[in-house]
Amino acid sequence: MKIISLKILSGSNQWSVSNQRLIEMLIDLDVLDKYPTNKICGFYTRLKWLMPSLYRHSCSNGYPGGFLQSVKTGISLASVVEHIARELQCLAGMNADFGITKPTGKQGEYYIVFSYQQPAAGKYAAEAAVNVTSAILKEDFYNIEKDLLQLKLLRGDKYSEAVTASFPTEAVKPQYSMLQAG
């Protein structure tokens, strides 16, 4: 999974009439595009554990918990990246209530578009969302608190430089195969 391009939009755009402050990310899922979330062993559980606040996201289902239900039944990892980017900003005190994920027509490529309040924070959230999703896939430890502190700093607030003690960098040993057979 890699970011092909990342743009900060601030004005009229093709994605929304009412939302003019948008991040437009073009992402290539590569081979991961063949695996919806329900075909990735433990993905739903790890995502729900790492970011329980995603429960608030309704997604296209229209009710709280709808996004996580979609993850459980199977959606593209591109949609997961979009929701994580939005939620990271929300957890850092910035409204990011608009998002859309659209395939480009080329296998594995998606446009991920979401709102931001501070351009640098929106860009950071996009990159962090890819990192979070990748860590979940690899069953690696990921410290979201580090991202939240950075987003709060980018938001413009004055926060202490004191961060959590240490950030483990070693991967958690996989206990089961990531991809389900079949």
Side-chain angles (χ1 to χ4, degrees), residues 138-141 170-176:
K138 295 174 187 173
E139 299 181 45
D140 285 349
F141 173 82
E170 292 196 29
V172 174
K173 300 278 187 229
Q175 296 178 3
Y176 42 81

Side-chain angles (χ1 to χ4, degrees), residues 3 6 9 19 21 28 30 35 43 59 61 64 69 71-72 82 96 101 105-106 114 116 120 134 141 145 155 171 175:
I3 298 172
L6 190 56
L9 307 177
N19 294 287
R21 299 175 63 134
D28 184 359
D30 197 29
Y35 300 99
F43 187 87
C59 199
N61 295 335
Q69 182 61 39
V71 171
K72 194 173 197 176
E82 174 215 319
T101 300
K106 182 177 177 186
F114 58 90
Y116 68 85
S134 294
F141 173 82
E145 292 301 320
R155 184 180 76 189
Q175 296 178 3

Side-chain angles (χ1 to χ4, degrees), residues 54-73 75 83:
L54 283 170
Y55 178 81
R56 294 186 304 243
H57 290 233
S58 61
C59 199
S60 58
N61 295 335
Y63 55 86
F67 169 69
L68 287 176
Q69 182 61 39
S70 293
V71 171
K72 194 173 197 176
T73 58
I75 59 171
H83 283 269

